[in-house]
């Protein structure tokens, strides 16, 4: 059993620092990637009350919907399409203050106004998936969000890679769903 205390600090830096400490404790020792991604998603959503927080995982050269919190989402996104596909293709975090102005934006929810997408790498520096965060307000995300979400990605990878190799996660996820 893990307790999670929603960081209540008004200062965003302090809120992220508190969150990062709790996430480290929360995922330490867990080996199941779905469980880890699910709790990271829940903790981010609970802390920041954003519209949508979730992961898309690379499978068969597409991003496939993974654990998330928020409204119904797109199931699959092609490489280079929308903000998620562009972050995957470019292998870099994308901050989008107004999604309506992003060329090729995919409107999975009409409520989404701004977005940040952080690529997640495996141990061989290949894209495993992306962390996608949407807000129902314009200009929600800043360089501070980028810095800390990238740090959460890095810290999560460090903890997880001690237990298993990220490059097999896609195969394991696919195999698990094929047994359904």
């Amino acid at each position: 059993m893990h307790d999670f205390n929603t960081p209540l600090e008004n200062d965003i830096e302090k809120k992220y620092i508190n969150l990062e400490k709790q996430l480290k404790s929360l995922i330490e020792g867990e080996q199941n990637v779905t469980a880890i991604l699910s709790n990271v998603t829940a903790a981010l959503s609970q802390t920041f009350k954003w519209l949508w927080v979730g992961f898309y995982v690379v499978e068969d050269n597409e991003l496939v919907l993974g654990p998330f919190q928020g409204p119904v989402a797109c199931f699959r996104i092609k490489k280079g399409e929308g903000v998620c596909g562009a972050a995957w293709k470019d292998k870099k975090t994308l901050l989008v203050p107004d999604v309506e102005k992003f060329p090729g934006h995919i409107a999975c929810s009409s409520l989404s106004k701004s977005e940040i997408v952080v690529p997640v790498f495996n141990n061989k520096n290949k894209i495993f998936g992306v962390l996608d965060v949407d807000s129902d307000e314009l200009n929600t995300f800043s360089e501070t969000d980028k810095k800390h979400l990238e740090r959460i990605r890095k810290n999560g990878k460090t903890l997880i890679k001690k237990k298993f190799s990220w490059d097999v996660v896609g195969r394991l996820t696919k195999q698990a769903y094929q047994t359904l």
Side-chain angles (χ1 to χ4, degrees):
M1 170 106 171
H2 293 283
D3 287 327
F4 180 80
N5 298 309
T6 304
L8 300 175
E9 295 85 357
N10 289 328
D11 179 278
I12 194 164
E13 287 278 347
K14 289 179 181 175
K15 187 177 272 197
Y16 270 114
I17 290 167
N18 183 337
L19 174 64
E20 289 166 28
K21 288 176 187 173
Q22 289 195 74
L23 282 173
K24 182 177 179 180
S25 173
L26 186 65
I27 68 174
E28 196 164 43
E30 180 55 58
Q31 296 181 30
N32 182 283
V33 71
T34 302
I36 292 166
L37 298 180
S38 296
N39 268 340
V40 168
T41 300
L44 285 166
S45 181
Q46 189 173 326
T47 299
F48 292 103
K49 311 287 189 234
W50 291 317
L51 173 67
W52 199 93
V53 180
F55 289 91
Y56 280 91
V57 180
V58 175
E59 182 183 303
D60 296 330
N61 210 30
E62 288 183 304
L63 290 172
V64 179
L65 181 63
F68 74 94
Q69 303 258 324
V72 171
C74 300
F75 281 109
R76 296 175 181 273
I77 299 173
K78 294 187 184 321
K79 193 172 197 174
E81 292 186 5
V83 182
C84 290
W88 174 25
K89 179 180 170 232
D90 297 342
K91 295 184 176 184
K92 67 178 185 178
T93 299
L94 294 179
L95 268 164
V96 182
D98 182 349
V99 295
E100 295 298 324
K101 294 181 180 175
F102 188 87
H105 174 254
I106 300 169
C108 294
S109 171
S110 61
L111 299 174
S112 178
K113 303 295 182 210
S114 59
E115 186 170 5
I116 184 169
V117 178
V118 180
V120 179
F121 299 91
N122 67 16
N123 295 335
K124 296 180 181 175
N125 210 31
K126 288 179 60 179
I127 300 282
F128 156 74
V130 298
L131 168 60
D132 180 21
V133 183
D134 292 53
S135 172
D136 57 0
E137 297 178 13
L138 294 171
N139 300 303
T140 297
F141 306 104
S142 67
E143 288 296 321
T144 300
D145 296 293
K146 178 181 180 213
K147 175 179 82 173
H148 286 282
L149 291 173
E150 287 176 344
R151 193 155 70 199
I152 287 168
R153 169 196 62 197
K154 180 183 175 202
N155 291 342
K157 180 180 172 185
T158 301
L159 283 171
I160 294 167
K161 78 179 179 181
K162 294 176 184 173
K163 302 295 181 189
F164 60 87
S165 176
W166 278 87
D167 57 330
V168 300
V169 171
R171 291 194 310 273
L172 293 174
T173 303
K174 187 175 180 181
Q175 289 170 357
Y177 288 111
Q178 286 174 342
T179 63
L180 296 177

